[in-house]
């Protein structure tokens, strides 16, 4: 794990001229339970919003109960909207690969099923290329004991999850899942990316 954290500090964060001119970019990521991923990205400087939802399936307006069966093709995801003058895909992917285990197939810890798969839903060729490059870098550097199994899937749509899933950590800090699953991920993020945290208002 120390090797992974060290590598994350070495990987370049590059902002292209095109990104700098754009007002907002969007990327959709799945890394297990969306509560965890949302809580982390809510604290990254440059992120405008992080919304929990579902991507990857074909039915219209899936419910949490339907997605939870693992039979719909949907994954729990977080759709991240960010200001490319303050952060970028390189940094967002660094955070993503730091706060979840991309070597676990269709699971994160006790959360098991294809709805918890590690996945990047790319909206364009540049997002796909950037994702491929960081995965290759991490695999070549043997950052994990086994190879990354994160899938790269074309973005087809996003359904925002039910209201009670949004800002789940902030609204439920006393619950055991928040304390024992989400809080350690947040602490890891805050340690590695301490200089990139949003300033508290």
């Amino acid at each position: 794990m120390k090797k992974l954290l060290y590598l994350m500090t070495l990987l370049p964060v590059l902002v292209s001229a095109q990104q700098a001119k754009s007002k907002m970019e969007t990327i959709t990521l799945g890394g297990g339970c969306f509560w965890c991923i949302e809580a982390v990205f809510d604290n990254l400087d440059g992120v405008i919003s992080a919304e929990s939802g579902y991507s990857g399936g074909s039915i219209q307006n899936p419910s949490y109960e339907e997605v939870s069966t693992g039979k719909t093709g949907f994954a729990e995801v977080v759709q991240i909207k960010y200001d490319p003058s303050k952060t970028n895909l390189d940094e967002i992917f660094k955070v993503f690969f730091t706060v979840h285990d991309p070597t676990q197939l269709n699971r994160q810890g006790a959360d098991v099923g294809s709805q918890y798969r590690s996945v990047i839903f790319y909206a364009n060729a540049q997002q796909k290329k950037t994702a491929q490059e960081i995965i290759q870098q991490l695999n070549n550097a043997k950052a994990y004991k086994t190879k990354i199994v994160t899938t790269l899937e074309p973005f087809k749509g996003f359904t925002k999850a039910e209201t009670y899933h949004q800002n789940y950590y902030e609204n439920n800090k006393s619950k055991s899942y928040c304390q024992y699953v989400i809080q350690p991920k947040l602490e890891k993020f805050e340690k590695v990316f301490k200089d990139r945290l949003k300033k508290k208002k």
Side-chain angles (χ1 to χ4, degrees), residues 4 97 100-108 117-118 138-139 142-150:
L4 170 63
F97 284 111
H100 87 293
D101 184 351
T103 68
Q104 291 192 39
L105 184 63
N106 294 333
R107 71 176 300 164
Q108 283 296 300
R117 66 188 181 276
S118 176
L138 292 172
N139 279 332
K142 299 187 185 303
Y144 302 93
K145 292 181 179 179
T146 57
K147 284 196 171 183
I148 291 170
V149 297
T150 303

Side-chain angles (χ1 to χ4, degrees), residues 33-35 38 52-54 62-68 76 160-172 175 178 182:
C33 176
F34 45 25
W35 298 339
E38 180 196 278
S52 291
Y54 316 109
S63 68
Y64 179 68
E65 289 70 23
E66 288 173 319
V67 174
S68 294
E76 289 194 12
K160 187 174 178 180
E162 294 81 351
T163 302
Y164 70 92
H165 289 301
Q166 310 303 325
N167 299 309
Y168 187 86
Y169 174 76
E170 285 298 319
N171 295 330
N172 299 276
K175 292 191 175 181
C178 293
I182 303 178

Side-chain angles (χ1 to χ4, degrees), residues 74-113:
F74 282 96
E76 289 194 12
V77 299
V78 174
Q79 187 165 83
I80 300 158
K81 294 181 180 179
Y82 63 95
D83 180 348
S85 69
K86 294 182 178 180
T87 186
N88 54 51
L89 275 180
D90 292 289
E91 181 170 63
I92 286 170
F93 286 153
K94 282 186 188 181
V95 173
F96 177 63
F97 284 111
T98 299
V99 299
H100 87 293
D101 184 351
T103 68
Q104 291 192 39
L105 184 63
N106 294 333
R107 71 176 300 164
Q108 283 296 300
D111 295 324
V112 180

Side-chain angles (χ1 to χ4, degrees), residues 177-195:
Y177 190 92
C178 293
Q179 293 182 355
Y180 295 108
V181 180
I182 303 178
Q183 185 61 35
K185 292 178 184 288
L186 266 177
E187 290 173 354
K188 183 178 180 182
F189 162 70
E190 290 170 353
K191 179 180 180 180
V192 179
F193 298 92
K194 60 183 178 182
D195 296 328

Side-chain angles (χ1 to χ4, degrees), residues 31-42:
C33 176
F34 45 25
W35 298 339
C36 300
I37 303 299
E38 180 196 278
V40 167
F41 280 103
D42 268 338

